[in-house]
Amino acid sequence: MSEKDTVVTDEILCRSEYDIDENGNICTGKTTLIRRNGIYYMEVGKEGETPNFSCEVDSLKRLSIVSNIGCATLEADFKDGPSVRLCRMTQSCVKPLSEFIKVINYYLETGEMTEMKEEHSHCPKCGKPFVANTQFCINCADKGSIVKKFIVLGKRYIPSFLLAGLLVLVCNMANLMIPVINRILVDDYLFPASEGQAPWGEANPYLAIVGLVLAMFAIYVLIRVVNIFAARLRNKAGTSFMNELRTKMYEKIQFLSMSSISRRTTGDLIKRVTEDTSVISDFLKAETAQIIEVGVIFICVSVYFIVTRPILALFVFLPVPITMFAISRFWKFIHRKYERQWILGSRANGILHDIIKGIRVVKVFGTEEKEIKKYDYAAEKQAEISAQNEEIWAILFPILGFVVGLGEFLVLYFGAWAVLGESFVGPPMTVGELTQIISYTGYIYGPLRWMTNLPRSLANAVTSMAKLTEILDEEPDIKDHENVVSPVIHGDIEFKNVTFGYKSYEPVLKNISLKINQGEMVGIVGHSGVGKSTFINLVMRLYDVNSGSLMIDGTDIRDIEKQTLNTSIGIVFQETFLFAGSIYENILYARPDAPPEDVFAAAKIANAHDFIIKLPDAYNTVVGEHGYSLSGGERQRIAIARAVLRDPKILILDEATASLDTETERKIQEALQRLTKGRTTIAIAHRLSTLRNADRLIVLEKGELAEFGTHEELLKNKGIYYNLVMAHRQTTKMAKVNK
């Protein structure tokens, strides 16, 4: 094939930005990783221009960022040749570019190309900042698809809203009859009577007038009664839809992956479940009826004007295009303003949640004033944007209302001349007809005034819909596939060449291979940050391995139904969490159908029974939120009892005895020794003395399996574990001397 016929195919794998060119000027530049005909290339250059640097990735030795004063540079070390400075950037570009570098350096080290986990602070399309802790741009979201999605979600409530709309339609049609009755009353009775004429040949018009007034009264009563039923239907449907949304949101949050939940604050998630669902419900209850009312009245009255008084119709509709143009131009602006208000409100809620949750820390450190100022600042910013939005409406709404009202003045002026018989708007007009036209003009402008206020509520509702959509559309990282199995788990655990990182190109555990036998107690030791917690996270399948396989009883953990796995694993975390409720309820949480005798037995195994029965209400003692009414050791023992009640085949202890005193720790160790019989146990502990009953020990170093064996074997090897033991003994001796 000739050079001309060669087809070049570029596949962009990942890219990042830099913002300073070679002359020190601000620019928009890209660093791009491309696969071209099976070969990886890296290109650097300004956006829209030919790259000023390009090379095969395999020719590189390593990429690095060098920090300078006020800026940083990207530098490349080549296998054959000197280092080259590729580009410069401000500090805002350093973090995303660092992720780009890690992808390439990981490939140079392992030969494996992974995807870059892009976490932008701004939308790549419009450049606007994302809402905190999200990768979602409300400005660029497809509003139509969001609304359609909520229509599908609420389709079972559509009949109720349609019926309510039909009732509103009846009210509107009845309402249109009132100006007609007014016209008849004025033209056929009041004016003839005032001139001494008997209308329709009657000697006394009072009976007919009473009939017309009663007809108007009946219409008013009908409108009120029907509106009550319509409002009840709307409110019931709107509230039910809100509750269903909250349930769906809560369910979805429960099944989100840990990586997804950790990106968001608790306050942000609570706001979405509570406030955003309420905003949508309020919009449906208030605005759906208005939309039907506006549409019906606008169409009927428009037809009346066009048929009877086409020239007056021009004056009536003159302000309409002006108002619609103003609304369309104002829509994007107010949408951004309310998006900003939502962000600041979410931030203030997050701060409030964190302060209340950590109130004990605040009290201990005496930082009440500091926290008050922090929240006051966030609340003030929210109040400022809210005040600005209200000020905009306070100015704009009267202006639009005045523009709309100009048509009423024109109709009144030229209608009055028509009554006097001197007008170009059509045949002479009666006083009754003028009152009817003025009433109908109000029916036209009422909807227009409502439409000027619609962007405000619609912006709020669409913003809330978009925030809920982000959660509802998110696919969990950890989920069962179609062919999962539900075996009886015995407890054999095997790691086969497992590599895992929360970002695949930044591994925490590297090429781990080991086997833990059923009923064996294994301890994990190592310095902080070596991957001990990550190890147990993989066993609990909070995350899936990047490469290799994790086997339970010879079956890949990804092929086991998650519910089956969860019911077979018990865990006691380092940070004990108790729910607000009684001690009995907290222990029973592990197995809701357990009989009382099993709960008491579990508490005895955990050495918790003795202190529980000494409490005023024993097992019915309410522990309060997080169990703060109990000591740390008491909370820990209740958590252990909860794990015991679950009767798991695999037991995980994450610093389970860290909060206990020496005597209580000894009792717990005795209980654990009985508990681990026939049960696979994985224990993490910083204090090596707590692992003296372990059958074997896993020693991790820099994410790799450094040593694996019994306590005696590892001491004989005089490796990492030996050094840890010696350091621990030295620390213990120093502590005794200081006493």
Side-chain angles (χ1 to χ4, degrees), residues 62 99 104 132 183 245 315 360 383 476 480 541 583 660 695:
R62 188 170 183 82
E99 299 299 315
I104 294 181
R183 178 182 61 76
L245 275 180
F315 295 119
R360 289 211 309 172
D480 291 334
R541 209 193 165 200
I583 292 175
L660 305 178
D695 296 308

Side-chain angles (χ1 to χ4, degrees), residues 118-126 128-143 145-146 149-150 263-264 268 272 335 339 342-343 462-474:
E118 296 184 85
E119 293 183 356
H120 301 289
S121 59
H122 290 70
C123 176
K125 290 184 180 179
C126 65
K128 297 184 182 302
F130 285 128
V131 177
N133 304 314
T134 72
Q135 295 284 295
F136 186 79
C137 179
I138 296 174
N139 186 60
C140 296
D142 185 353
K143 314 298 189 304
S145 66
I146 291 173
K149 188 166 296 181
F150 274 83
R263 288 201 312 266
R264 301 177 174 95
D268 172 57
R272 298 190 200 209
H335 186 77
E339 177 188 344
W342 192 98
I343 293 170
V462 171
T463 299
S464 293
M465 287 179 185
K467 298 304 297 176
L468 297 189
T469 299
E470 184 198 14
I471 298 290
L472 293 172
D473 286 352
E474 185 169 331

Side-chain angles (χ1 to χ4, degrees), residues 9-18 28-36 39-58 60 63 74 76 86-87 89 96-105 107 113-114 116 118 120:
T9 57
D10 286 355
E11 180 186 356
I12 297 176
L13 301 178
C14 60
R15 63 173 49 181
S16 189
E17 297 181 355
Y18 66 90
T28 301
K30 300 281 186 184
T31 58
T32 310
L33 177 63
I34 298 172
R35 180 162 48 211
R36 181 178 296 145
I39 301 174
Y40 297 113
Y41 289 87
M42 189 181 79
E43 294 182 347
V44 180
K46 293 181 183 178
E47 190 171 19
E49 299 181 9
T50 303
N52 53 33
F53 173 85
S54 179
C55 75
E56 288 189 23
V57 173
D58 286 324
L60 295 170
L63 293 176
L74 172 61
L86 303 181
C87 62
M89 71 216 76
L97 193 57
S98 296
E99 299 299 315
F100 178 88
I101 290 172
K102 288 173 184 175
V103 171
I104 294 181
N105 285 343
Y107 169 75
M113 184 60 70
T114 62
M116 175 176 167
E118 296 184 85
H120 301 289

Side-chain angles (χ1 to χ4, degrees), residues 515-522 679-682 695-696:
K515 185 173 182 181
I516 302 172
N517 299 317
Q518 175 187 346
E520 191 175 22
M521 180 177 181
V522 174
R679 182 175 284 114
T680 305
T681 304
I682 302 174
D695 296 308
R696 287 190 291 171

Side-chain angles (χ1 to χ4, degrees), residues 668-710:
I668 293 298
Q669 290 294 346
E670 292 172 358
L672 290 177
Q673 194 170 5
R674 296 191 301 270
L675 177 63
T676 54
K677 278 190 177 181
R679 182 175 284 114
T680 305
T681 304
I682 302 174
I684 296 176
H686 290 295
R687 289 189 292 181
L688 301 181
S689 60
T690 61
L691 296 176
R692 57 180 173 264
N693 294 322
D695 296 308
R696 287 190 291 171
L697 297 169
I698 298 170
V699 182
L700 297 177
E701 179 71 12
K702 296 181 180 178
E704 297 179 345
L705 179 61
E707 298 172 347
F708 186 36
T710 65

Side-chain angles (χ1 to χ4, degrees), residues 283 286-287 290-291 294 323-324 326-328 330-331 334-335 338 389-390 392-401 404 445-461:
F283 177 80
E287 307 302 340
Q290 285 279 28
I291 291 171
V294 165
T323 305
M324 296 302 295
I327 291 173
S328 66
F330 183 62
W331 165 251
I334 195 61
H335 186 77
Y338 273 96
N389 291 344
E390 294 303 321
I392 290 169
W393 281 109
I395 295 172
L396 185 70
F397 189 72
I399 292 174
L400 289 177
V404 168
Y445 292 149
L448 284 178
R449 289 191 178 97
W450 171 80
M451 289 179 67
T452 61
N453 198 41
L454 181 61
R456 180 185 196 179
S457 54
L458 190 57
N460 262 337

Side-chain angles (χ1 to χ4, degrees), residues 501-547:
Y502 298 100
K503 296 171 183 174
S504 59
Y505 48 85
E506 200 171 13
V508 178
L509 296 176
K510 306 170 188 175
N511 199 30
I512 302 292
S513 293
L514 59 88
K515 185 173 182 181
I516 302 172
N517 299 317
Q518 175 187 346
E520 191 175 22
M521 180 177 181
V522 174
I524 307 177
V525 298
H527 298 290
S528 295
V530 296
K532 297 189 297 293
S533 295
T534 302
F535 188 97
I536 63 172
N537 284 343
L538 294 178
V539 174
M540 293 185 290
R541 209 193 165 200
L542 297 181
Y543 302 90
D544 278 336
V545 300
N546 298 138
S547 64

Side-chain angles (χ1 to χ4, degrees), residues 26 45 129 131 134 155 180 310 344 383 452 457 489 504 599 607 614 723:
I26 298 297
V131 177
T134 72
K155 61 183 178 182
V180 176
L344 292 176
T452 61
S457 54
I489 290 179
S504 59
V599 175
N607 282 340
K614 292 177 183 177
N723 294 331

